[in-house]
Amino acid sequence: MKARRTVAVALSVLALTAVAACGKDGSPSSSTDNKSGAAAAQLPTYKVNAAAKLDASPAWAAAKQRGKLRIGAKSDQPFLGFEDVQTGKRNGFDIEIAKMIAADLGFDPETQIEWKTINSSARETSLSGDQIDLYVGTYSINDNRKKLISFGGPYYIAGQSLLVNKDNTDITSPESTKDKAVCTVTGSTSIGNIQKYGAKVTQFESYSLCVEKLLTKEVDAVTTDDAILKGYAAKNQGKLKVVGDPFSKERYGVGLKLGDAALQKAVNDALKAHEDSGDWKKAYDATLGLSGAAAPSIPELDPIAG
Amino acid sequence: MGIPFEDGNFSLFVRGFLGTIELSALSALFAVLLGVLLAAFRVSPVPVLRTFGTAWVTLFRNTPLTLLFFAVTFVLPRLDVHISSFTAAVVALSAYTGSFVCEVLRSGINTVSLGQAEAARSLGMGFGQTLGLVVLPQAARSVIAPMGSVFIALPRNSAIAGAFNVFELFSVQKTLTEKGYAIFAIFFWLALAYLVISFSIGAVFNALERRAAVAR
Amino acid sequence: MSTRTASVLFDVPGPRARLRYRLFGAVGLVGIAALFWWIVSTLADEGQFDAELWNPFQYTVVQQRLLDGVLATLKAFGLAAVGSLLLGTLLAVGRLSDHRAVRLPCTWIVQFFRAMPLVIMIFALWQAVFTAEPLWALVTGLTLYNGAVQAEIIRSGINSVPRGQAEAAYALGMRKTQVMTLVLIPQAVRAMLPTIIGQLVVTLKDTSLGYIITYPELLFQGKWVAQNGDGYPYIPVVLVITPIYIALCLALTALAHWLESRSRRGANRRGTAAA
C-alpha cells in the first residue's frame, strides 16, 4: 500500500518532468498576429533618453539605482495589456504607452522594465505601497482615486459599453440590461454605473473571467470601457460584439505615487512628446486599431495641480 | 470604529452575515448526506464501491478548496452545467467537507471493537439492529469531537466563496476596504462575527459531547 | 484492510451474500462508468480535447510559468510550515505554563486564530501591512492560523506523555525548561506526528489562497494560462493543476508514513513500551 503510493508519487513527478523536457519555444511569427495583438513590424520604436535626470522624484531615483523601472499592467486584455502565452512577451496599447514613457525617463523599454501584473482592485494599494513605480492599465482618472494616488495623462478616452454574444438581440443599450446578469470587475468604476440601470451585477477579479462567463452564457453581458471590450471582441472573432453607445467617459491615466509631482510632470512631458511625434497614433494603429475601430482623438493632458 | 453603524453599512453587514450562515448551513447539510453515503461506500463489502469512495476522498482531501471553487466556477459551465454562483459554492464546499465527514465517520466506526458487533450478531440481531443499536452509538462518542472541528472549519472555509461572486462576509470586507475604511477596524467586526459563529457551533458540539459521555 | 476476514459491520460472506455483493458491485461499476462516460463525452462534445486547447502546455514559457508556480507554492509552504511549527510549540508551552499571565493570553490567541477565516486574515494583512509583498501576507496568515492549530495538537501530545516521564526528569534534577525541551516536546511530537503532518497538508493546500491576493502561486499561474491561451483552456488547466496539487499532498503524506515507521522502529530498538 505504502510502497504503491510512493511509486505513484514518483511516477507523477517523472511524468511532469517528462512533459517539461519537451517544451517548444514560441516565436511571435508562429502565432497568428491578429489573435494576440501587436504586429511587431508596425510598432514604433522609442529612443532611450539616456540623459534623463529626475532626482526630485524618489521613485525615479530608486528605479535608477535598481536599473529597472517597475510598471504595473494588465496581462489579460487583448490589444491593450496582454501577455502572450507562447512568447511570454507583453503587447498592446497600454504596454506601448508604458514603453514610450519608460524610454523618456531613461530606461530601455526592452530590457529595463520590470512588468508586474496587477488586478484592478489592487492598483491603489500597490502604488501607495511602493510595489510599482507606474501603473498603465485602463486606469480611469477619478476624484476618489486622486485622494490615494496621482495621475499622469489622460492619454486615452474610453467610454463604458456592453459586450454581448453575437446572437443576442435583447441587449442594445444600458437601459435594456435591467434584471439581466451583467459581469464586471471588482474595484472598477463600471459597477456603480451599471447598477443604476437595475442590472444584476456579477463580479470577478478580471475581465477575462467575465468574458469566460459570457462565452459559456452564464451572464448576458460584460460591461466596461469600450477599448477593453473591443479587444475581446476582436480576439474572439465572430462570437462576441460590442453594443450600444458609450454611456460614460473614462479618462485613462498613468497611476503614480501620491504627490510625486516631478514624476507626474515627466510622464506628461513624455506623453506630449510622443503624441506630437506621431508615435501615439502608430502605437494605436498597431494595437487597438487592429480591432477595426478608428483612432479617437488624442485627449488634452490634465494640468498638474500644485 | 463603529463601522457597522455608519452610512447604511449595517444592512451590508447583515446581508453578508446571513450569506455566510446560509452558505454554511446548506453546505453542512449536503456534506453530512454526502459524507454518510461515502462512508457507507468505504465500509461496504463491495470492492467497487470501496474503491470509488477511497478515490473520491483522496481526490477531495488533497485538492485545495480554492482550486475546487475555481473548477466549479469555470469548468462546470463548459460542461454545459449552468448553476448560480451560490449553488456552485455549495457544491464545492459540500464535496470538500463531505470527504472530511466521511473520514471522521469511518474512523469512528473502526474504533468500535469487532467483538461488540459479533456479540450483537450472535444475539440474532440483523444488520440494521447491529448498526443502529450497537455500532453507531459507540462510534458516535469518538466521532463528536472531530466532527465538531470539521463543522467549525466549514464557515471559515466558506469565506473563499466571496472571491467567486457569492455575497458573504469576505465580500463585506472587500466592499468596505474599497470604501476606504480602516482595514483593521473592518477586520475587528468581521472577527467578531466569525467568533460568534464558531463559538455557537462549538457550544452545540460540546453539549452533544456531554450527552454522549453520560450515555456510557 | 482487505485482508480482514470480517469487519465490524459484516461477517464473512456466504455464497448468497457473495453473489449479492457481486451484483451490487456490477451495478456500482455500471453507475460509475456511466458517470465517467458522461464527463468524458461532454468534454469531447465541448471540444475540450481539441489539440488547440492543449497547445499552451507545449510552450516553454507556459511550462516555466507552471514550474514557477509550483516553486512559489512550495516557498510559501516551507516558510509557513516552519513558522507554524515554531509558533505552535511556543503557544502549546505557553498554555501549559504555571503562570496565569502567560496561560490566559496564549489560550485567547489560540482560540481567536482558530476561529478566523484565513482568507479574511490574509486579505487584511495584504491590504494593511504587506501591500508590496503578498508572499508575506500569505505566510503570516498561514503561520498564525496553522500555528494556533498546531499548538492544540502539540499540547494534547504533551498531555499524552505518561506522567512518569516528567517526574523522572524532575527527579534527575532537570529544570522545567529542560523537562519541556528534552523530554516532553520530543515525545509529544513523535506521538502526534501523523496529526501534525495532516495539518501541514492543510497548510500546503491553503497556500492556494495566494490566488486571491495576487501571489503568483500555482493556481494563479494556472489562471493566467487559462485566460490568455487560445480558446481559453480552463478545463485543460484544471486537469493539469489538480494532479500536481494532489501529488504534492500525497508526497507529504507518504513522508509522514515513512517518518512514522522510522520513529516506531527507533522506539522498538530502544525497547521502550509503546504508549
Side-chain angles (χ1 to χ4, degrees), chain C residues 224-264:
Chain C
W224 174 80
V225 175
Q227 59 186 25
N228 282 24
D230 290 338
Y232 302 111
Y234 280 88
I235 291 181
V237 162
V238 169
L239 289 179
V240 167
I241 283 186
T242 310
I244 297 179
Y245 271 115
I246 293 176
L248 289 175
C249 293
L250 287 182
L252 200 56
T253 314
L255 175 78
H257 281 295
W258 180 75
L259 281 174
E260 211 189 346
S261 63
R262 240 194 54 177
S263 73
R264 202 177 291 129

mmCIF file of all heavy atoms in Angstrom, chain C residues 224-264:
data_model
loop_
_atom_site.group_PDB
_atom_site.id
_atom_site.type_symbol
_atom_site.label_atom_id
_atom_site.label_comp_id
_atom_site.label_asym_id
_atom_site.label_seq_id
_atom_site.Cartn_x
_atom_site.Cartn_y
_atom_site.Cartn_z
ATOM 1 N N TRP C 224 -3.670 32.387 -15.278
ATOM 2 C CA TRP C 224 -3.084 33.194 -16.347
ATOM 3 C C TRP C 224 -3.050 32.405 -17.664
ATOM 4 O O TRP C 224 -3.403 32.925 -18.720
ATOM 5 C CB TRP C 224 -1.672 33.647 -15.944
ATOM 6 C CG TRP C 224 -0.938 34.352 -17.018
ATOM 7 C CD1 TRP C 224 -1.094 35.664 -17.367
ATOM 8 C CD2 TRP C 224 0.040 33.809 -17.915
ATOM 9 N NE1 TRP C 224 -0.256 35.959 -18.415
ATOM 10 C CE2 TRP C 224 0.445 34.840 -18.773
ATOM 11 C CE3 TRP C 224 0.616 32.546 -18.064
ATOM 12 C CZ2 TRP C 224 1.399 34.655 -19.773
ATOM 13 C CZ3 TRP C 224 1.560 32.356 -19.061
ATOM 14 C CH2 TRP C 224 1.945 33.392 -19.894
ATOM 15 N N VAL C 225 -2.643 31.152 -17.583
ATOM 16 C CA VAL C 225 -2.622 30.331 -18.794
ATOM 17 C C VAL C 225 -4.041 30.192 -19.341
ATOM 18 O O VAL C 225 -4.276 30.308 -20.545
ATOM 19 C CB VAL C 225 -2.024 28.933 -18.510
ATOM 20 C CG1 VAL C 225 -2.118 28.044 -19.735
ATOM 21 C CG2 VAL C 225 -0.585 29.055 -18.039
ATOM 22 N N ALA C 226 -4.999 29.970 -18.427
ATOM 23 C CA ALA C 226 -6.384 29.746 -18.852
ATOM 24 C C ALA C 226 -6.959 30.975 -19.543
ATOM 25 O O ALA C 226 -7.661 30.867 -20.539
ATOM 26 C CB ALA C 226 -7.249 29.372 -17.649
ATOM 27 N N GLN C 227 -6.641 32.171 -19.031
ATOM 28 C CA GLN C 227 -7.315 33.326 -19.625
ATOM 29 C C GLN C 227 -6.542 33.930 -20.782
ATOM 30 O O GLN C 227 -7.078 34.751 -21.509
ATOM 31 C CB GLN C 227 -7.658 34.359 -18.551
ATOM 32 C CG GLN C 227 -6.510 34.901 -17.767
ATOM 33 C CD GLN C 227 -6.993 35.795 -16.639
ATOM 34 O OE1 GLN C 227 -8.115 35.655 -16.166
ATOM 35 N NE2 GLN C 227 -6.162 36.713 -16.205
ATOM 36 N N ASN C 228 -5.300 33.523 -20.991
ATOM 37 C CA ASN C 228 -4.555 34.075 -22.118
ATOM 38 C C ASN C 228 -4.335 33.074 -23.244
ATOM 39 O O ASN C 228 -3.927 33.446 -24.329
ATOM 40 C CB ASN C 228 -3.194 34.602 -21.646
ATOM 41 C CG ASN C 228 -3.334 35.958 -20.971
ATOM 42 O OD1 ASN C 228 -4.391 36.281 -20.479
ATOM 43 N ND2 ASN C 228 -2.283 36.725 -20.955
ATOM 44 N N GLY C 229 -4.569 31.801 -22.959
ATOM 45 C CA GLY C 229 -4.349 30.812 -24.005
ATOM 46 C C GLY C 229 -5.448 30.891 -25.057
ATOM 47 O O GLY C 229 -6.556 31.315 -24.760
ATOM 48 N N ASP C 230 -5.136 30.481 -26.266
ATOM 49 C CA ASP C 230 -6.159 30.500 -27.313
ATOM 50 C C ASP C 230 -7.293 29.551 -26.949
ATOM 51 O O ASP C 230 -7.059 28.410 -26.575
ATOM 52 C CB ASP C 230 -5.542 30.074 -28.652
ATOM 53 C CG ASP C 230 -4.595 31.157 -29.147
ATOM 54 O OD1 ASP C 230 -4.757 32.315 -28.711
ATOM 55 O OD2 ASP C 230 -3.696 30.837 -29.937
ATOM 56 N N GLY C 231 -8.515 30.042 -27.063
ATOM 57 C CA GLY C 231 -9.671 29.183 -26.798
ATOM 58 C C GLY C 231 -9.946 29.015 -25.307
ATOM 59 O O GLY C 231 -10.785 28.227 -24.934
ATOM 60 N N TYR C 232 -9.246 29.757 -24.476
ATOM 61 C CA TYR C 232 -9.473 29.723 -23.024
ATOM 62 C C TYR C 232 -9.470 28.305 -22.449
ATOM 63 O O TYR C 232 -10.512 27.743 -22.159
ATOM 64 C CB TYR C 232 -10.800 30.424 -22.681
ATOM 65 C CG TYR C 232 -10.806 31.848 -23.156
ATOM 66 C CD1 TYR C 232 -11.626 32.257 -24.196
ATOM 67 C CD2 TYR C 232 -9.954 32.783 -22.576
ATOM 68 C CE1 TYR C 232 -11.592 33.567 -24.658
ATOM 69 C CE2 TYR C 232 -9.924 34.080 -23.023
ATOM 70 C CZ TYR C 232 -10.739 34.476 -24.057
ATOM 71 O OH TYR C 232 -10.702 35.762 -24.492
ATOM 72 N N PRO C 233 -8.293 27.721 -22.281
ATOM 73 C CA PRO C 233 -8.229 26.318 -21.840
ATOM 74 C C PRO C 233 -8.432 26.139 -20.339
ATOM 75 O O PRO C 233 -7.562 25.629 -19.650
ATOM 76 C CB PRO C 233 -6.810 25.912 -22.245
ATOM 77 C CG PRO C 233 -6.026 27.180 -22.184
ATOM 78 C CD PRO C 233 -6.970 28.284 -22.548
ATOM 79 N N TYR C 234 -9.595 26.549 -19.819
ATOM 80 C CA TYR C 234 -9.844 26.393 -18.383
ATOM 81 C C TYR C 234 -9.783 24.934 -17.955
ATOM 82 O O TYR C 234 -9.184 24.586 -16.948
ATOM 83 C CB TYR C 234 -11.211 26.976 -18.000
ATOM 84 C CG TYR C 234 -11.177 28.461 -17.859
ATOM 85 C CD1 TYR C 234 -11.385 29.291 -18.951
ATOM 86 C CD2 TYR C 234 -10.902 29.056 -16.633
ATOM 87 C CE1 TYR C 234 -11.332 30.662 -18.829
ATOM 88 C CE2 TYR C 234 -10.849 30.430 -16.500
ATOM 89 C CZ TYR C 234 -11.066 31.234 -17.596
ATOM 90 O OH TYR C 234 -10.999 32.585 -17.475
ATOM 91 N N ILE C 235 -10.470 24.086 -18.715
ATOM 92 C CA ILE C 235 -10.537 22.691 -18.311
ATOM 93 C C ILE C 235 -9.173 22.015 -18.379
ATOM 94 O O ILE C 235 -8.751 21.383 -17.416
ATOM 95 C CB ILE C 235 -11.625 21.951 -19.122
ATOM 96 C CG1 ILE C 235 -12.991 22.487 -18.684
ATOM 97 C CG2 ILE C 235 -11.523 20.458 -18.925
ATOM 98 C CD1 ILE C 235 -14.164 21.863 -19.351
ATOM 99 N N PRO C 236 -8.437 22.188 -19.495
ATOM 100 C CA PRO C 236 -7.084 21.610 -19.504
ATOM 101 C C PRO C 236 -6.241 22.089 -18.321
ATOM 102 O O PRO C 236 -5.532 21.300 -17.712
ATOM 103 C CB PRO C 236 -6.505 22.099 -20.832
ATOM 104 C CG PRO C 236 -7.681 22.260 -21.708
ATOM 105 C CD PRO C 236 -8.809 22.697 -20.812
ATOM 106 N N VAL C 237 -6.343 23.360 -17.987
ATOM 107 C CA VAL C 237 -5.552 23.888 -16.870
ATOM 108 C C VAL C 237 -5.923 23.179 -15.571
ATOM 109 O O VAL C 237 -5.048 22.731 -14.824
ATOM 110 C CB VAL C 237 -5.745 25.417 -16.726
ATOM 111 C CG1 VAL C 237 -5.312 25.899 -15.350
ATOM 112 C CG2 VAL C 237 -4.960 26.145 -17.793
ATOM 113 N N VAL C 238 -7.224 23.050 -15.316
ATOM 114 C CA VAL C 238 -7.644 22.369 -14.082
ATOM 115 C C VAL C 238 -7.172 20.915 -14.100
ATOM 116 O O VAL C 238 -6.708 20.391 -13.090
ATOM 117 C CB VAL C 238 -9.176 22.462 -13.908
ATOM 118 C CG1 VAL C 238 -9.653 21.538 -12.798
ATOM 119 C CG2 VAL C 238 -9.579 23.890 -13.591
ATOM 120 N N LEU C 239 -7.244 20.285 -15.265
ATOM 121 C CA LEU C 239 -6.827 18.888 -15.363
ATOM 122 C C LEU C 239 -5.324 18.732 -15.182
ATOM 123 O O LEU C 239 -4.845 17.676 -14.811
ATOM 124 C CB LEU C 239 -7.246 18.295 -16.722
ATOM 125 C CG LEU C 239 -8.741 18.069 -16.906
ATOM 126 C CD1 LEU C 239 -9.031 17.516 -18.292
ATOM 127 C CD2 LEU C 239 -9.286 17.122 -15.845
ATOM 128 N N VAL C 240 -4.561 19.781 -15.447
ATOM 129 C CA VAL C 240 -3.118 19.708 -15.254
ATOM 130 C C VAL C 240 -2.743 20.060 -13.815
ATOM 131 O O VAL C 240 -1.884 19.430 -13.210
ATOM 132 C CB VAL C 240 -2.387 20.656 -16.246
ATOM 133 C CG1 VAL C 240 -0.938 20.835 -15.843
ATOM 134 C CG2 VAL C 240 -2.469 20.092 -17.649
ATOM 135 N N ILE C 241 -3.411 21.072 -13.267
ATOM 136 C CA ILE C 241 -3.005 21.583 -11.955
ATOM 137 C C ILE C 241 -3.442 20.677 -10.804
ATOM 138 O O ILE C 241 -2.695 20.469 -9.853
ATOM 139 C CB ILE C 241 -3.584 22.999 -11.754
ATOM 140 C CG1 ILE C 241 -2.743 23.971 -12.556
ATOM 141 C CG2 ILE C 241 -3.580 23.405 -10.308
ATOM 142 C CD1 ILE C 241 -3.120 25.382 -12.331
ATOM 143 N N THR C 242 -4.657 20.137 -10.907
ATOM 144 C CA THR C 242 -5.158 19.308 -9.813
ATOM 145 C C THR C 242 -4.217 18.146 -9.482
ATOM 146 O O THR C 242 -3.875 17.967 -8.317
ATOM 147 C CB THR C 242 -6.577 18.799 -10.142
ATOM 148 O OG1 THR C 242 -7.368 19.922 -10.542
ATOM 149 C CG2 THR C 242 -7.217 18.148 -8.944
ATOM 150 N N PRO C 243 -3.771 17.363 -10.506
ATOM 151 C CA PRO C 243 -2.851 16.274 -10.169
ATOM 152 C C PRO C 243 -1.564 16.760 -9.510
ATOM 153 O O PRO C 243 -1.016 16.073 -8.657
ATOM 154 C CB PRO C 243 -2.536 15.635 -11.521
ATOM 155 C CG PRO C 243 -3.634 16.031 -12.402
ATOM 156 C CD PRO C 243 -4.117 17.358 -11.925
ATOM 157 N N ILE C 244 -1.100 17.955 -9.884
ATOM 158 C CA ILE C 244 0.129 18.460 -9.263
ATOM 159 C C ILE C 244 -0.097 18.662 -7.766
ATOM 160 O O ILE C 244 0.700 18.214 -6.938
ATOM 161 C CB ILE C 244 0.580 19.781 -9.928
ATOM 162 C CG1 ILE C 244 0.915 19.545 -11.399
ATOM 163 C CG2 ILE C 244 1.802 20.351 -9.202
ATOM 164 C CD1 ILE C 244 1.356 20.782 -12.145
ATOM 165 N N TYR C 245 -1.207 19.315 -7.428
ATOM 166 C CA TYR C 245 -1.514 19.529 -6.012
ATOM 167 C C TYR C 245 -1.662 18.202 -5.280
ATOM 168 O O TYR C 245 -1.129 18.018 -4.182
ATOM 169 C CB TYR C 245 -2.807 20.343 -5.851
ATOM 170 C CG TYR C 245 -2.595 21.834 -5.832
ATOM 171 C CD1 TYR C 245 -3.100 22.640 -6.832
ATOM 172 C CD2 TYR C 245 -1.888 22.444 -4.807
ATOM 173 C CE1 TYR C 245 -2.913 24.022 -6.817
ATOM 174 C CE2 TYR C 245 -1.692 23.813 -4.782
ATOM 175 C CZ TYR C 245 -2.216 24.595 -5.790
ATOM 176 O OH TYR C 245 -2.027 25.947 -5.755
ATOM 177 N N ILE C 246 -2.414 17.290 -5.889
ATOM 178 C CA ILE C 246 -2.639 16.009 -5.222
ATOM 179 C C ILE C 246 -1.316 15.280 -5.014
ATOM 180 O O ILE C 246 -1.056 14.727 -3.944
ATOM 181 C CB ILE C 246 -3.640 15.150 -6.036
ATOM 182 C CG1 ILE C 246 -5.013 15.822 -5.984
ATOM 183 C CG2 ILE C 246 -3.722 13.743 -5.484
ATOM 184 C CD1 ILE C 246 -6.058 15.144 -6.802
ATOM 185 N N ALA C 247 -0.439 15.328 -6.037
ATOM 186 C CA ALA C 247 0.858 14.666 -5.912
ATOM 187 C C ALA C 247 1.666 15.282 -4.777
ATOM 188 O O ALA C 247 2.271 14.561 -3.975
ATOM 189 C CB ALA C 247 1.631 14.774 -7.227
ATOM 190 N N LEU C 248 1.660 16.616 -4.686
ATOM 191 C CA LEU C 248 2.408 17.281 -3.611
ATOM 192 C C LEU C 248 1.880 16.846 -2.242
ATOM 193 O O LEU C 248 2.653 16.503 -1.346
ATOM 194 C CB LEU C 248 2.295 18.808 -3.737
ATOM 195 C CG LEU C 248 3.037 19.472 -4.901
ATOM 196 C CD1 LEU C 248 2.715 20.958 -4.956
ATOM 197 C CD2 LEU C 248 4.539 19.268 -4.781
ATOM 198 N N CYS C 249 0.555 16.850 -2.093
ATOM 199 C CA CYS C 249 -0.033 16.480 -0.799
ATOM 200 C C CYS C 249 0.245 15.019 -0.463
ATOM 201 O O CYS C 249 0.581 14.688 0.677
ATOM 202 C CB CYS C 249 -1.545 16.713 -0.805
ATOM 203 S SG CYS C 249 -1.975 18.446 -0.905
ATOM 204 N N LEU C 250 0.126 14.133 -1.462
ATOM 205 C CA LEU C 250 0.357 12.715 -1.200
ATOM 206 C C LEU C 250 1.821 12.474 -0.867
ATOM 207 O O LEU C 250 2.150 11.630 -0.033
ATOM 208 C CB LEU C 250 -0.070 11.862 -2.402
ATOM 209 C CG LEU C 250 -1.581 11.722 -2.600
ATOM 210 C CD1 LEU C 250 -1.873 10.825 -3.784
ATOM 211 C CD2 LEU C 250 -2.255 11.176 -1.348
ATOM 212 N N ALA C 251 2.709 13.228 -1.512
ATOM 213 C CA ALA C 251 4.127 13.083 -1.215
ATOM 214 C C ALA C 251 4.380 13.426 0.250
ATOM 215 O O ALA C 251 5.117 12.733 0.955
ATOM 216 C CB ALA C 251 4.953 13.983 -2.120
ATOM 217 N N LEU C 252 3.715 14.477 0.708
ATOM 218 C CA LEU C 252 3.860 14.899 2.103
ATOM 219 C C LEU C 252 3.318 13.822 3.050
ATOM 220 O O LEU C 252 3.932 13.493 4.066
ATOM 221 C CB LEU C 252 3.097 16.212 2.309
ATOM 222 C CG LEU C 252 3.462 17.069 3.502
ATOM 223 C CD1 LEU C 252 4.929 17.418 3.489
ATOM 224 C CD2 LEU C 252 2.639 18.345 3.481
ATOM 225 N N THR C 253 2.160 13.251 2.676
ATOM 226 C CA THR C 253 1.566 12.196 3.493
ATOM 227 C C THR C 253 2.477 10.974 3.527
ATOM 228 O O THR C 253 2.679 10.363 4.583
ATOM 229 C CB THR C 253 0.192 11.794 2.935
ATOM 230 O OG1 THR C 253 -0.527 12.997 2.641
ATOM 231 C CG2 THR C 253 -0.590 10.978 3.933
ATOM 232 N N ALA C 254 3.050 10.633 2.361
ATOM 233 C CA ALA C 254 3.951 9.485 2.291
ATOM 234 C C ALA C 254 5.153 9.722 3.194
ATOM 235 O O ALA C 254 5.604 8.821 3.906
ATOM 236 C CB ALA C 254 4.404 9.256 0.852
ATOM 237 N N LEU C 255 5.644 10.941 3.196
ATOM 238 C CA LEU C 255 6.760 11.304 4.064
ATOM 239 C C LEU C 255 6.387 11.052 5.527
ATOM 240 O O LEU C 255 7.180 10.517 6.307
ATOM 241 C CB LEU C 255 7.119 12.775 3.861
ATOM 242 C CG LEU C 255 8.198 13.355 4.775
ATOM 243 C CD1 LEU C 255 9.571 12.911 4.302
ATOM 244 C CD2 LEU C 255 8.130 14.870 4.809
ATOM 245 N N ALA C 256 5.150 11.423 5.867
ATOM 246 C CA ALA C 256 4.685 11.229 7.235
ATOM 247 C C ALA C 256 4.711 9.752 7.603
ATOM 248 O O ALA C 256 5.213 9.370 8.663
ATOM 249 C CB ALA C 256 3.276 11.772 7.389
ATOM 250 N N HIS C 257 4.195 8.914 6.691
ATOM 251 C CA HIS C 257 4.176 7.478 6.966
ATOM 252 C C HIS C 257 5.584 6.938 7.158
ATOM 253 O O HIS C 257 5.845 6.150 8.056
ATOM 254 C CB HIS C 257 3.505 6.733 5.801
ATOM 255 C CG HIS C 257 2.022 6.820 5.846
ATOM 256 N ND1 HIS C 257 1.283 6.265 6.856
ATOM 257 C CD2 HIS C 257 1.133 7.409 5.011
ATOM 258 C CE1 HIS C 257 0.003 6.502 6.638
ATOM 259 N NE2 HIS C 257 -0.108 7.213 5.527
ATOM 260 N N TRP C 258 6.468 7.414 6.307
ATOM 261 C CA TRP C 258 7.847 6.937 6.369
ATOM 262 C C TRP C 258 8.495 7.326 7.698
ATOM 263 O O TRP C 258 9.097 6.508 8.381
ATOM 264 C CB TRP C 258 8.621 7.519 5.184
ATOM 265 C CG TRP C 258 10.049 7.102 5.137
ATOM 266 C CD1 TRP C 258 10.544 5.887 4.773
ATOM 267 C CD2 TRP C 258 11.179 7.919 5.481
ATOM 268 N NE1 TRP C 258 11.910 5.892 4.860
ATOM 269 C CE2 TRP C 258 12.329 7.118 5.295
ATOM 270 C CE3 TRP C 258 11.324 9.231 5.924
ATOM 271 C CZ2 TRP C 258 13.617 7.594 5.520
ATOM 272 C CZ3 TRP C 258 12.604 9.713 6.153
ATOM 273 C CH2 TRP C 258 13.738 8.902 5.960
ATOM 274 N N LEU C 259 8.314 8.610 8.063
ATOM 275 C CA LEU C 259 8.869 9.097 9.331
ATOM 276 C C LEU C 259 8.307 8.300 10.501
ATOM 277 O O LEU C 259 9.023 7.919 11.423
ATOM 278 C CB LEU C 259 8.533 10.574 9.524
ATOM 279 C CG LEU C 259 9.391 11.574 8.759
ATOM 280 C CD1 LEU C 259 8.856 12.977 8.938
ATOM 281 C CD2 LEU C 259 10.839 11.509 9.245
ATOM 282 N N GLU C 260 6.993 8.052 10.396
ATOM 283 C CA GLU C 260 6.327 7.351 11.478
ATOM 284 C C GLU C 260 6.911 5.945 11.639
ATOM 285 O O GLU C 260 7.253 5.525 12.737
ATOM 286 C CB GLU C 260 4.845 7.249 11.158
ATOM 287 C CG GLU C 260 3.974 7.249 12.370
ATOM 288 C CD GLU C 260 2.550 6.933 12.004
ATOM 289 O OE1 GLU C 260 2.223 6.988 10.795
ATOM 290 O OE2 GLU C 260 1.781 6.617 12.904
ATOM 291 N N SER C 261 7.055 5.241 10.510
ATOM 292 C CA SER C 261 7.568 3.866 10.592
ATOM 293 C C SER C 261 9.002 3.896 11.119
ATOM 294 O O SER C 261 9.394 3.040 11.913
ATOM 295 C CB SER C 261 7.513 3.202 9.220
ATOM 296 O OG SER C 261 8.353 3.889 8.327
ATOM 297 N N ARG C 262 9.762 4.908 10.719
ATOM 298 C CA ARG C 262 11.141 5.012 11.189
ATOM 299 C C ARG C 262 11.189 5.235 12.692
ATOM 300 O O ARG C 262 11.936 4.591 13.410
ATOM 301 C CB ARG C 262 11.837 6.173 10.492
ATOM 302 C CG ARG C 262 13.040 5.735 9.697
ATOM 303 C CD ARG C 262 13.856 6.919 9.324
ATOM 304 N NE ARG C 262 14.196 7.699 10.519
ATOM 305 C CZ ARG C 262 14.964 8.764 10.494
ATOM 306 N NH1 ARG C 262 15.421 9.202 9.359
ATOM 307 N NH2 ARG C 262 15.250 9.412 11.593
ATOM 308 N N SER C 263 10.351 6.191 13.137
ATOM 309 C CA SER C 263 10.417 6.534 14.548
ATOM 310 C C SER C 263 9.915 5.364 15.395
ATOM 311 O O SER C 263 10.397 5.138 16.486
ATOM 312 C CB SER C 263 9.599 7.791 14.842
ATOM 313 O OG SER C 263 8.232 7.495 14.778
ATOM 314 N N ARG C 264 8.955 4.603 14.843
ATOM 315 C CA ARG C 264 8.465 3.469 15.592
ATOM 316 C C ARG C 264 9.566 2.409 15.703
ATOM 317 O O ARG C 264 9.781 1.844 16.759
ATOM 318 C CB ARG C 264 7.217 2.870 14.929
ATOM 319 C CG ARG C 264 6.403 2.079 15.933
ATOM 320 C CD ARG C 264 5.139 1.542 15.349
ATOM 321 N NE ARG C 264 4.184 2.584 15.057
ATOM 322 C CZ ARG C 264 3.593 2.710 13.880
ATOM 323 N NH1 ARG C 264 3.872 1.884 12.906
ATOM 324 N NH2 ARG C 264 2.727 3.668 13.658
#
